[in-house]
Amino acid sequence: MKRRVLSDLFTIRHPSDFLHEVLKFCSVGHGDPERTAITNVYQLAFQLYRGELDGYLACDTNYHDFAHAAETFLTMARLLHGAHLASEKLTQRDLAVGLTAAILHDSGYIRTSLESKDNGAHYRTEHEMRSMDFVSQHGRAIGLTEQEIAQCRTMIQGTMMTEDVNSLSFESETHELLVRMLSVSDLLAQLSSATYLERLTFLYEEDYESTAPHYRDPLDCCRKAILFDDQARGRLQNTLEQSDVYLANHFNARWNTPVNLYRIAMDRQIQFLAEAIEQPGFDARCHLRRWGSVNALQRIWSENGFTKA
């Protein structure tokens, strides 16, 4: 039997395909209020990133874009599903609140209409706090209670690489699990993406536009991606040891594949990058192989109202 690959599980033809996939395996039926809540917040994020939400401009960051938000949303849902299969005590409301934090975790990159002179990347160092404030401002409108807004804020805070998740304050064991899951989802969604290596060029461009650049050039960005991968793996282990079990549960139930496909994808990506950057005259535009996939996805976003920078 052919071995399944994470990127081949389903084909993205429309930005809403991530939502449809989540609703297929999450235990929320038609007419269920939590299904409505999940759909509504996804549509809110969809409008936000397209520049259709009153008071906000369209997303202009090509790395931290709607695709990354949606991939994090899907990863979070898979973790939640796998945890449910492992008999973790998670309610449908926990699912809805966790997915709300996931789809909005990088909303702080979106500029308001009063910030039109800046680029979204300008807010990199403060984007998590801006994302938390976005949830505070709009949470009631999408049906969150004040307690749930506070929970979402902590979940987003946990995605900060400078934040030790173990030092955060949690309301309950369930809240702690959700915080840890989103921290893991944010990293897995990036590092396992089929186009992660090519999108490092976009990350360099965002870095260049930021107020505190980290990279000298695209090659330096790729080299430091290998160091980041090591850092991320340590954080994944320390943040949620059970992630491999939860994700294997999900992939077994949904795709009859009892392994963590994210880990396999991460390993393949970083191995290829480590070999590629040692080639003489390495150029990401020439030596990385999936620019066709990147361009195809960008056409999908463009056809659905997303303006790429």
Side-chain angles (χ1 to χ4, degrees), residues 280-296:
F282 171 80
D283 184 337
R285 292 283 179 179
C286 299
H287 290 93
L288 299 180
R289 303 176 299 184
R290 289 175 170 165
W291 285 107
S293 297
V294 173
N295 294 334

Side-chain angles (χ1 to χ4, degrees), residues 47-58:
Q47 293 173 330
L48 173 67
Y49 277 79
R50 292 205 302 182
E52 296 175 350
L53 192 64
D54 188 39
Y56 293 90
L57 302 174

